[in-house]
Amino acid sequence: MIGFGYWGSKHVRVLGTVPGVDVTVVDPDLDRLADAVSHHPTVRTARRLAAVADDLDAVIIATPPSTHYALAAEALAAGLHVLVEKPLATSVVDAETLVDAAEAAGLTLMVGHTFEYNPAVRRLRDIVRSGVLGRILYIDAARLNLGLYQRDVNVIWDLAPHDISIASYVLDAMPISTAVWAWRNVGRGHPDVAYLRLDFPDTHTFIHVSWLNPDKVRRTTIVGERQMVVYDDLSDKERIRIYDIGVDPDVADAEPSTGNMPVSYRTGDITSPYLPFGEPLMIEDQHFVQCVRGEAVPETPGRRGLDVVRVLEATDRALASGRATWVGDERGVAPGGPDRMGGPGLRRVPPHDRQVVPRPRADW
């Protein structure tokens, strides 16, 4: 376990319950290592991966995003399987390099899109695929909180990977373009509140993320032509509620001169399906161990992480230009010409060396 911070400590707790798994905590901070031992007396500790790499089979990386590439590259070069917390890397070039290196070495590379292991999100996908909602008109997501400001990434890179992952998982598609509004309200660091529009082939997703909100919110709403569904991850009991309500165009009274409303409203039952209990992080880590043992194939492989990084990098370009921006294709090459919403076409990603070359990042 590389990194014993907020998420690293949760991983160590979970891994301690998996049979046949011994944990070594790697962190340059001696206080964090002491904290790890005080809570988990059986773990080994080290300040650098190189000191213990020969005794390991795999690593989980839960460190600041700017360090993900260097640590994952070092682990892959040492022949270790790797699970990286989101985002996989902070650039498409680095993410591609990691994916190529893992495939060339025959190693597992997984990304920690934890919500894809959440039973509620999996049920959400099943509901959409069943067709009961009808055509999906749009998805609205909010991920808000007060605090947990990050030093090395903005609020989009910190929080939006979850909602990009959920939306693309539920829709079984990736966005093709994005528009962004973001603002820094506190200090001189990164934007702390943002609104994203993701354009999918057949619908749209709107995402609101913030580090500066009085209430903690983790909510996704899917609006269909026939029904609507709300997933509230903070709800104790009814995390998914399906609403048999909607709006139908009133063709007969469509003329404004009639003075009538141009739509008809319909209401019905609200239902909440049963969801089996399952801690997403536990499911994810157990799955990673199965992949390391050769018993499973990653459900969130490195390429999945690469797809999300492409979207995140496109939000940077959209934010810098103030215009809607295409998301690059699998080769990192954007479609030619201006985008359909008036934004500039994207430039080809410069060639890069696919050899894994670990780069030192901060204390790591």
Side-chain angles (χ1 to χ4, degrees):
M1 184 68 238
I2 305 181
F4 193 77
Y6 179 80
W7 277 109
S9 61
K10 294 178 182 294
H11 279 287
V12 173
R13 170 183 58 79
V14 166
L15 291 168
T17 68
V18 181
V21 173
D22 296 319
V23 179
T24 297
V25 175
V26 177
D27 196 301
D29 190 318
L30 290 175
D31 289 337
R32 287 190 173 183
L33 293 181
D35 187 42
V37 172
S38 69
H39 288 88
H40 309 279
T42 62
V43 301
R44 295 176 56 197
T45 61
R47 300 187 67 186
R48 294 288 185 272
L49 174 60
V52 291
D54 290 343
D55 299 325
L56 305 177
D57 297 299
V59 300
I60 298 177
I61 298 170
T63 59
S66 62
T67 67
H68 286 182
Y69 169 78
L71 292 169
E74 181 182 356
L76 291 171
L80 303 176
H81 303 280
V82 178
L83 167 59
V84 186
E85 275 296 345
K86 58 80 186 169
L88 176 61
T90 54
S91 75
V92 170
V93 169
D94 284 353
E96 285 180 331
T97 303
L98 294 177
V99 169
D100 290 347
E103 291 180 352
L107 295 168
T108 294
L109 175 62
M110 253 178 68
V111 63
H113 291 167
T114 311
F115 281 91
E116 294 187 36
Y117 298 91
N118 189 313
V121 174
R122 293 183 171 185
R123 175 60 67 88
L124 201 63
R125 178 190 60 178
D126 293 341
I127 292 169
V128 170
R129 289 183 174 182
S130 73
V132 297
L133 304 182
R135 183 171 65 91
I136 304 303
L137 302 180
Y138 71 91
I139 297 176
D140 182 86
R143 191 165 299 272
L144 320 173
N145 201 10
L146 181 64
L148 293 180
Y149 274 70
Q150 303 296 315
R151 294 178 179 272
D152 56 346
V153 293
N154 64 26
V155 69
I156 298 172
W157 280 81
D158 179 41
L159 298 181
H162 289 310
D163 298 297
I164 297 169
S165 168
I166 291 172
S168 58
Y169 176 75
V170 167
L171 296 172
D172 195 24
M174 293 302 297
I176 57 177
S177 62
T178 182
V180 178
W181 179 92
W183 194 255
R184 182 186 71 248
N185 293 283
V186 176
R188 299 181 179 180
H190 300 285
D192 49 29
V193 61
Y195 294 84
L196 286 67
R197 187 191 77 217
L198 303 178
D199 301 305
F200 287 80
D202 299 313
T203 190
H204 306 278
T205 293
F206 304 93
I207 299 174
H208 177 199
V209 289
S210 176
W211 290 326
L212 193 61
N213 197 77
D215 297 318
K216 185 175 182 178
V217 179
R218 300 286 185 268
R219 185 178 60 246
T220 300
T221 302
I222 303 179
V223 177
E225 277 190 318
R226 293 199 294 269
Q227 294 185 348
M228 306 177 190
V229 59
V230 175
Y231 158 51
D232 185 351
D233 192 59
L234 300 183
S235 175
D236 291 333
K237 295 182 179 179
E238 298 180 341
R239 284 187 293 161
I240 290 182
R241 304 185 81 186
I242 303 171
Y243 295 78
D244 186 14
I245 60 177
V247 176
D248 298 316
D250 195 335
V251 178
D253 293 324
E255 292 297 328
S257 59
T258 65
N260 295 331
M261 294 294 292
V263 297
S264 298
Y265 299 93
R266 52 183 173 76
T267 58
D269 294 333
I270 301 174
T271 59
S272 181
Y274 167 76
L275 296 173
F277 174 78
E279 182 183 0
L281 192 65
M282 175 75 74
I283 298 171
E284 177 186 86
D285 283 355
Q286 288 176 338
H287 176 61
F288 178 55
V289 171
Q290 290 177 325
C291 293
V292 170
R293 291 172 172 164
E295 300 169 354
V297 176
E299 296 182 15
T300 53
R303 288 199 174 275
R304 178 85 173 113
L306 170 58
D307 285 340
V308 172
V309 171
R310 285 199 180 97
V311 179
L312 292 169
E313 197 170 88
T315 68
D316 285 345
R317 294 191 293 263
L319 184 59
S321 67
R323 309 176 75 178
T325 300
W326 286 107
V327 176
D329 68 16
E330 187 170 350
R331 297 162 297 169
V333 181
D339 69 55
R340 60 189 174 90
M341 289 160 287
L346 304 183
R347 297 186 297 275
R348 180 181 297 271
V349 173
H352 61 281
D353 183 2
R354 297 301 179 93
Q355 180 182 3
V356 175
V357 181
R359 299 194 294 270
R361 303 284 181 89
D363 292 336
W364 297 93

